[in-house]
Amino acid sequence: MKVVVLSDVQKDYALGSVTVNALKGISFAIEQGEFIAIAGPSGSGKSTILNMIGCIDSPSAGRVSIDGREVDSLSDKELTRYRREKIGFIFQSFNLIPVLNVYENIEFPLLLKKNVPKKQRQETIGRFIERVGLADRVRNKPHELSGGQRQRVAIARALVTGPRIILADEPTANLDTETGLNIISLMEEINDKEHTTFIFSTHDQYIMEHAHRVITLRDGHIVA
Ligand SMILES: Nc1ncnc2c1ncn2[C@@H]1O[C@H](COP(=O)(O)OP(=O)(O)OP(=O)(O)O)[C@@H](O)[C@H]1O
Ligand SMILES: [Mg+2]
């Protein structure tokens, strides 16, 4: 089952009077349960691709399908639901909410879903906090955590709604090598056990080596 299909996707950005062709015809398919790296130099289009898959931005031409449905055919309301239910996001700079503690940060996407009762929320959050090894940090705020711990919170937050796809834009770029490898191992373990599809961008060779497959970009094209 293909969870993500991009067909000849192009993305142009108007930058003042010039047009930047960020993606110049990108096609690939990703199967459920893959663990995929998107590699390539700065400016090659990695974040732009993740934004297309995450329905954060739409292509200038070409088609994106998620879970068998063409994104273009969805209404705004359906798109919001799609993003919330099917996709989890992890960012380079963690993007946690500073005034919320670890528990509350992980709870946030469940509150957006509205129909999850408190008891079920507590049970699910507890399970993911254990999973990412932060049981002793539940009441701490992000500024009281290390970079690796913050990224663990972000991983739990991305997973808590049970999405089929996790998109991670350079999830290890702000971490030292050892912590980065720990984060990738955690992602691999979740991929292995839950069959969640992971698509992550990276510059690091040692992170790429963990991927099942590497899609390499250069200047808006796939080169390998
Ligand atoms: N909102 C935007 N407006 C104009 N140009 C943009 C915008 N977002 C990205 N670009 C341009 O599109 C190209 C691809 O950018 P993108 O952010 O996808 O690269 P990247 O591979 O993620 O780079 P990095 O490794 O530095 O994060 C770049 O030339 C960039 O300047
Ligand atoms: Mg980027």
Side-chain angles (χ1 to χ4, degrees), residues 14-84:
L15 204 61
S17 58
V18 294
T19 302
V20 179
N21 308 121
L23 301 177
K24 298 173 181 163
I26 299 285
S27 302
F28 60 75
I30 295 176
E31 301 280 340
Q32 174 68 33
E34 278 200 270
F35 196 72
I36 296 241
I38 300 183
S42 181
S44 58
K46 302 182 295 298
S47 297
T48 307
I49 284 191
L50 291 174
N51 290 344
M52 299 291 131
I53 299 172
C55 312
I56 288 175
D57 208 345
S58 51
S60 309
R63 290 186 315 277
V64 177
S65 300
I66 309 290
D67 235 3
R69 283 198 68 183
E70 201 172 315
V71 172
D72 207 31
S73 70
L74 302 174
S75 67
D76 281 354
K77 207 170 157 190
E78 282 177 313
L79 204 58
T80 305
R81 222 192 63 221
Y82 236 57
R83 249 193 320 254
R84 251 176 224 162

Side-chain angles (χ1 to χ4, degrees), residues 84-99:
R84 251 176 224 162
E85 291 178 4
K86 303 229 181 242
I87 302 167
F89 295 91
I90 300 170
F91 302 93
Q92 174 178 343
S93 47
F94 322 128
N95 290 19
L96 301 176
I97 302 171
V99 295

Side-chain angles (χ1 to χ4, degrees), residues 106-110 121 124-125 128 155-163:
I106 299 171
E107 184 180 37
F108 194 71
L110 289 178
R121 284 205 306 272
T124 310
I125 297 162
F128 278 102
I155 290 174
R157 179 184 58 181
L159 286 166
V160 80
T161 53

Side-chain angles (χ1 to χ4, degrees), residues 91-95 146-148 151 169-177 179-180 204 206:
F91 302 93
Q92 174 178 343
S93 47
F94 322 128
N95 290 19
S146 70
Q151 200 56 306
D169 199 358
E170 303 198 39
T172 61
N174 283 335
L175 304 173
D176 62 75
T177 305
T179 312
D204 299 323
Y206 66 89

